[in-house]
Amino acid sequence: MARTWAKRVGWGVGCAVLAVAAYLAAWPVPIQPVAWSAPAAPGYQGVHAPNQRLAQLQMIDLKGEVGPEHIAFGKDGKLYTTVLSGSILRMNADGSGQEVFANTGGRVLGFDFDAAGHLIAADAVKGLLSIAPDGKAVTVLADKVGDNDPIRYADGVVVAQSGKMYLSDASTRFAPKDWGGTFEASVLDILEQASTGRVIEYDPATRATRVVARGLSFANGVALSQDEKHLFVNETGKYRVWKIAVEARDLDIAQPSPQARVLLDNLPGYPDNLMRGQGGKVWLGFAKPRGAAIDNMSGKPWLRSLTLRLPRALWPIPKPYGHVIAFTDDGKVVADLQDPSGAYPETTAITETADRLYVQSLHAHGLGWLPKPQP
């Protein structure tokens, strides 16, 4: 009887193991992974040597709101920031006088202001929006390219002096509204590596949209060069920053072209937002540091598919690590601030004023800032 019981247990364990193996091998996943070759991670050395310059942030209480993903000052001198609830908050520079300026019903990730004071928003759910200076009217400027090519993941925008607007559409495969949110959709896109991200121009004079460049592995932050002849664009999934001519038209960055080049390559983390600072600087934030497990899967598409069959707690998401840098238009890194503790999560960029550095974040429960170092 004992032997029969042992056999039954053995059969049960064997069947369970086979069932798990079959699930890990064959359960459908939403990605179709593409093999690529991740460069060897540079680690924290040279201009990126470890430091504590981003530690001990002072905090502005956002009164229950989460995720000040983008921060900018309007023509009224007020500080504006976007949060997870879909609201855009407005306040004084010290955080006092907080109010909800507008709520788009989506999730604004990046924004800028046009010459008339309208807030131009990249809403990951709704597309490119214009919000009136009083916050009352929200207008969709563009939610597609042409007649039927949807903008699925708007996440960064900058307005040129000409009035033209340049929008990063992170992925044409994974829309946050369909895949559980912005973070979840970004994980899917970066694991897949199909490189469907792009940069779009919107001309308010003609209301026309066109693709400037495509083929980016999660196109993220976007900023203009000082002469406004080029765009800086984060390619988050491949740890680099591109410099692309604004006059480019439907440029596939996979093909060599004098209109596009990699400005910063093999960065130590996942570059997120880009913000023009003072003195010719551009600030860049890293949402996460590089992870060896993810890099090691670059040439193993099957392993990336298997990863998505695991519980989310087992996904190889890198640990938090606070890190922002500043670079010049020619690609020279001129500032590097870190907090290895990762106490302030997803440091996605810096907004610089004469006396403060405000730290953007996708998931923080407050708005972090530092007194600006004086020369």
Side-chain angles (χ1 to χ4, degrees):
M1 182 173 180
R3 186 175 297 175
T4 300
W5 179 82
K7 285 183 178 180
R8 289 178 178 174
V9 171
W11 275 107
V13 171
C15 289
V17 169
L18 287 173
V20 170
Y23 167 77
L24 291 176
W27 191 262
V29 294
I31 65 174
Q32 298 172 15
V34 175
W36 72 292
S37 181
Y44 294 94
Q45 59 180 330
V47 294
H48 305 305
N51 63 72
Q52 302 281 334
R53 298 187 187 107
L54 200 61
Q56 306 301 319
L57 293 179
Q58 299 187 51
M59 300 298 295
I60 292 173
D61 182 6
L62 295 179
K63 307 184 187 309
E65 297 282 11
V66 176
E69 165 67 354
H70 194 93
I71 301 160
F73 282 81
K75 295 182 179 297
D76 56 6
K78 300 283 188 177
L79 183 156
Y80 291 73
T81 188
T82 62
V83 287
L84 184 61
S85 66
S87 290
I88 300 170
L89 307 180
R90 179 169 61 185
M91 64 193 78
N92 296 320
D94 62 0
S96 63
Q98 283 185 40
E99 61 181 344
V100 174
F101 167 68
N103 189 301
T104 67
R107 173 50 159 143
V108 175
L109 295 177
F111 64 91
D112 200 356
F113 292 91
D114 69 10
H118 294 85
L119 189 150
I120 306 302
D123 190 305
V125 176
K126 299 197 169 185
L128 183 65
L129 311 178
S130 175
I131 304 175
D134 62 4
K136 294 180 180 179
V138 179
T139 304
V140 177
L141 298 178
D143 57 7
K144 59 178 67 73
V145 179
D147 295 329
N148 55 12
D149 183 5
I151 297 171
R152 286 192 169 87
Y153 198 142
D155 68 348
V157 65
V158 64
V159 181
Q161 292 182 17
S162 66
K164 292 180 179 180
M165 303 164 187
Y166 296 93
L167 172 76
S168 55
D169 186 12
S171 171
T172 60
R173 287 267 296 138
F174 301 103
K177 65 183 178 62
D178 298 330
W179 296 100
T182 57
F183 182 73
E184 291 77 6
S186 71
V187 170
L188 292 176
D189 191 84
I190 291 171
L191 280 177
E192 182 173 78
Q193 284 291 342
S195 297
T196 66
R198 57 190 178 173
V199 181
I200 298 165
E201 179 191 89
Y202 173 78
D203 186 346
T206 62
R207 299 183 182 178
T209 54
R210 69 175 183 87
V211 174
V212 176
R214 55 187 170 85
L216 294 148
S217 176
F218 204 79
N220 214 325
V222 59
L224 281 159
S225 61
Q226 291 187 84
D227 61 10
E228 299 202 342
K229 293 181 179 180
H230 293 87
L231 290 163
F232 302 116
V233 184
N234 282 337
E235 188 178 19
T236 303
K238 291 187 175 174
Y239 320 123
R240 57 193 183 183
V241 179
W242 284 84
K243 187 173 184 178
I244 302 171
V246 296
E247 295 301 321
R249 289 184 172 273
D250 200 25
L251 177 68
D252 183 353
I253 64 158
Q255 306 300 319
S257 169
Q259 291 187 306
R261 69 181 179 95
V262 175
L263 185 71
L264 296 173
D265 201 6
N266 198 20
L267 291 165
Y270 291 90
D272 201 316
N273 292 344
L274 292 172
M275 288 291 292
R276 264 285 164 199
Q278 298 186 342
K281 296 191 296 292
V282 179
W283 286 98
L284 176 155
F286 295 101
K288 293 284 186 183
R290 296 271 289 270
I294 296 176
D295 280 356
N296 290 339
M297 290 191 292
S298 66
K300 305 179 181 70
W302 63 271
L303 191 53
R304 281 181 268 142
S305 291
L306 185 148
T307 296
L308 286 183
R309 298 181 182 113
L310 299 174
R312 179 169 171 169
L314 298 179
W315 288 4
I317 295 173
K319 66 178 182 179
Y321 191 105
H323 193 188
V324 296
I325 65 173
F327 62 90
T328 57
D329 279 16
D330 60 1
K332 180 182 179 181
V333 175
V334 292
D336 185 289
L337 288 68
Q338 300 178 32
D339 178 11
S341 76
Y344 191 74
E346 286 94 26
T347 50
T348 54
I350 289 284
T351 300
E352 181 181 7
T353 67
D355 57 355
R356 288 188 177 190
L357 299 177
Y358 295 90
V359 190
Q360 304 173 11
S361 171
L362 188 61
H363 291 125
H365 288 257
L367 198 165
W369 66 276
L370 288 170
K372 187 176 175 181
Q374 298 303 311

